[in-house]
Amino acid sequence: MKSAMASLKEARASQERRGTELNWRGGFCPVPSLLELSTMEQCACVERELEKVLHKFLSYGQHSNQNLDELLRSVGELREQLSSAALQGTPLSPTLSLVMSQCCRKIKDTVQKLASDHKDIHSSVSRVGKAIDRNFDAEICAVVSNSVWEGRDKQQLLQMAIVEHLYQQGLLNVAEELCQESALSVDLGFKQPFLELNRILEALQQHDLRPALEWAVSHRQHLLELNSSLEFKLHRLHFISLLGGGAQKQLEALTYARHFQPFARLHQRDIQVMMGSLVYLRNGIEKSPYSHLLDSERWAEISEQFTRDACALLGLSVESPLSVSFAAGSVALPVLMNIKAVIEQRQCSGVWSHKDELPIEVDLGKKCGYHSVFACPILRQQTSDANPPTKLMCGHVISRDALNKLISGGKLKCPYCPMEQNPADGKRIIF
């Protein structure tokens, strides 16, 4: 129960941090959506039931220990009195007989009370299960066909997505173990970028800038092409760390300031601020107008920027495909559950084929939009490779199937303007 409670609290805390945190292993976390808030409320309901169980469990344990200690003490005293009477050879006195009967009655009442309290804990535990059933749908698998992961290729695709996610999370040992158990072969070239990123990020967590600076210097040209200021910010953070050392680090800080020369044109204002802070070094930067330079959040910010720039440079996504798929599935799941219920209620199971498309469009938000999607305004269907979007001579765009349906007498009249044209003049558009 304690581990379940801890897991729920951690999940809740993680949800609450999503509006402000940025972690390269999870990517930019947006402000919680209505679905996420609903999920947090559901977790809170279960957590409240768990808290009640834990409270009763702790109270029961304390009460039980107290009663049992008292009983043991009473039984011990009675035993001593009986032993003393037996040694003296005197018959059992009425007073001692009364004490014995009272002790037996007290033992019986205590055991019954503990059994009753224990039964009450069982009912509280069952209410936790009911809270889980009430707040979370157990039939989630109903929206997925049993054959969706059939076939070795699909299984390997799923395993590869899990392995990539584990590498991106820094769980290298777990990823290696999964590869061995699933007989999945992962090329060293695939693992190497993740190994390097994890090594540098672990160093940044220890406030060690050296690996990140070496990486930034070696990739300077590519970072410039990305308009990245990563190298300058790494040098700035190292300079600030020297400022934190006080007056004895003044000469070292001045010497290190030479690294700012290549960045003078683009970051003149920032460099002026850092140079101005040296005036207050002897009295303490933390008591000066430049105290904001010592903000500990700068370490988190530099880790965030390093992650973004490194992933962009190496052609990696800041978020793993598995985490993106999971987030999209979490958004789409309530809609899919409703669709499934309607389909079963109206007995029109053929509408949902479980293959390449859904019976309705599910809006996943801008975060999950990765490419342009065109739906034909005539047929109200999303275009595909077999039915691509086609631009007419007048500039309007429809699908190829719609174009073929509108041909009459070898001519095509645009459905949006009176212009007649040759169907062969339509050109395919590639987004």
Side-chain angles (χ1 to χ4, degrees):
M1 283 188 291
K2 289 184 178 180
S3 61
M5 184 74 174
S7 299
L8 273 174
K9 286 185 176 179
E10 178 61 27
R12 188 180 182 187
S14 176
Q15 288 279 3
E16 291 171 351
R17 290 195 303 266
R18 294 191 68 186
T20 57
E21 265 191 10
L22 168 63
N23 186 323
W24 92 274
R25 298 182 175 99
F28 278 103
C29 297
V31 174
S33 63
L34 292 177
L35 175 66
E36 291 169 330
L37 291 173
S38 175
T39 304
M40 291 166 62
E41 292 171 359
Q42 291 167 340
C43 290
C45 290
V46 178
E47 184 179 341
R48 283 193 291 270
E49 295 296 334
L50 273 173
E51 287 176 347
K52 292 178 183 178
V53 173
L54 287 176
H55 178 71
K56 287 187 176 181
F57 184 77
L58 293 174
S59 299
Y60 175 78
Q62 295 172 356
H63 183 64
S64 300
N65 290 335
Q66 182 179 355
N67 288 341
L68 290 174
D69 288 341
E70 186 177 346
L71 282 178
L72 288 172
R73 185 170 56 255
S74 299
V75 171
E77 293 174 355
L78 179 60
R79 182 179 179 182
E80 290 178 358
Q81 293 177 14
L82 291 172
S83 298
S84 176
L87 290 174
Q88 295 176 5
T90 58
L92 191 65
S93 65
T95 303
L96 194 57
S97 178
L98 178 62
V99 171
M100 183 183 297
S101 62
Q102 289 176 347
C103 185
C104 291
R105 191 180 304 111
K106 186 176 183 180
I107 291 173
K108 183 179 179 180
D109 292 342
T110 301
V111 171
Q112 289 179 348
K113 181 67 168 62
L114 292 178
S116 176
D117 292 343
H118 192 269
K119 185 177 180 180
D120 186 45
I121 290 179
H122 275 284
S123 64
S124 298
V125 172
S126 66
R127 283 196 290 271
V128 175
K130 292 178 182 177
I132 293 174
D133 295 337
R134 185 171 60 253
N135 288 281
F136 301 99
D137 200 323
E139 298 298 325
I140 292 177
C141 58
V143 302
V144 180
S145 172
N146 293 329
S147 61
V148 68
W149 294 113
E150 287 183 356
R152 180 62 180 167
D153 293 341
K154 291 183 178 180
Q155 292 177 3
Q156 286 187 340
L157 183 64
L158 177 60
Q159 292 166 358
M160 194 65 189
I162 297 174
V163 168
E164 182 176 347
H165 179 76
L166 292 173
Y167 277 128
Q168 197 154 343
Q169 289 288 325
L171 303 173
L172 309 180
N173 294 334
V174 181
E176 293 293 337
E177 188 68 24
L178 177 59
C179 290
Q180 292 179 7
E181 293 184 2
S182 61
L184 187 66
S185 177
V186 179
D187 185 70
L188 181 61
F190 174 82
K191 296 188 287 187
Q192 191 61 38
F194 298 110
L195 297 175
E196 187 176 17
L197 285 176
N198 277 284
R199 177 181 63 84
I200 297 174
L201 284 169
E202 287 174 0
L204 288 175
Q205 289 176 0
Q206 301 298 324
H207 291 192
D208 180 7
L209 291 167
R210 182 180 51 81
L213 275 169
E214 292 175 354
W215 185 91
V217 171
S218 62
H219 295 82
R220 177 177 296 168
Q221 187 58 40
H222 295 94
L223 289 172
L224 290 175
E225 293 174 359
L226 292 175
N227 294 322
S228 171
S229 59
L230 176 63
E231 185 180 355
F232 167 75
K233 290 183 177 180
L234 287 169
H235 286 302
R236 181 179 65 179
L237 188 56
H238 184 75
F239 182 85
I240 291 173
S241 65
L242 293 175
L243 293 180
Q248 59 269 29
K249 292 285 186 177
Q250 183 176 8
L251 181 60
E252 187 177 350
L254 283 170
T255 304
Y256 192 83
R258 297 173 183 173
H259 289 86
F260 296 137
Q261 184 177 357
F263 310 100
R265 184 174 60 86
L266 295 176
H267 301 280
Q268 181 179 358
R269 177 58 182 166
D270 290 330
I271 295 173
Q272 289 175 345
V273 169
M274 286 185 287
M275 293 300 100
S277 66
L278 292 172
V279 177
Y280 297 88
L281 195 58
R282 294 188 179 277
N283 296 327
I285 299 295
E286 62 277 0
K287 300 177 182 178
S288 72
Y290 298 92
S291 59
H292 64 278
L293 293 176
L294 303 179
D295 190 354
S296 59
E297 291 296 322
R298 291 185 180 273
W299 287 98
E301 292 171 1
I302 202 66
S303 296
E304 295 161 8
Q305 180 163 359
F306 169 77
T307 299
R308 290 196 305 269
D309 293 346
C311 288
L313 202 62
L314 298 173
L316 301 174
S317 171
V318 176
E319 300 182 17
S320 70
L322 183 65
S323 62
V324 172
S325 301
F326 183 83
S330 298
V331 175
L333 187 58
V335 180
L336 299 181
M337 294 292 294
N338 291 336
I339 295 172
K340 184 70 175 179
V342 171
I343 289 175
E344 291 177 350
Q345 183 180 4
R346 299 186 179 182
Q347 298 181 350
C348 49
S349 57
V351 175
W352 195 348
S353 61
H354 287 294
K355 292 185 179 179
D356 296 332
E357 61 183 23
L358 298 174
I360 66 168
E361 182 178 353
V362 179
D363 185 12
L364 299 179
K366 293 182 178 180
K367 184 184 176 185
C368 291
Y370 295 97
H371 57 82
S372 300
V373 174
F374 177 78
C376 177
I378 306 300
L379 299 181
R380 305 291 182 182
Q381 294 178 348
Q382 185 175 318
T383 54
S384 62
D385 291 338
N387 180 32
T390 305
K391 176 179 174 296
L392 305 180
M393 291 293 294
C394 55
H396 294 107
V397 180
I398 59 177
S399 66
R400 180 174 292 174
D401 287 350
L403 183 148
N404 293 333
K405 291 179 182 293
L406 292 172
I407 296 176
S408 177
K411 290 289 185 180
L412 170 68
K413 184 176 181 181
C414 176
Y416 291 99
C417 66
M419 182 177 179
E420 288 191 358
Q421 52 201 290
N422 187 347
D425 292 335
K427 295 183 179 180
R428 175 178 178 175
I429 294 180
I430 299 176
F431 288 103

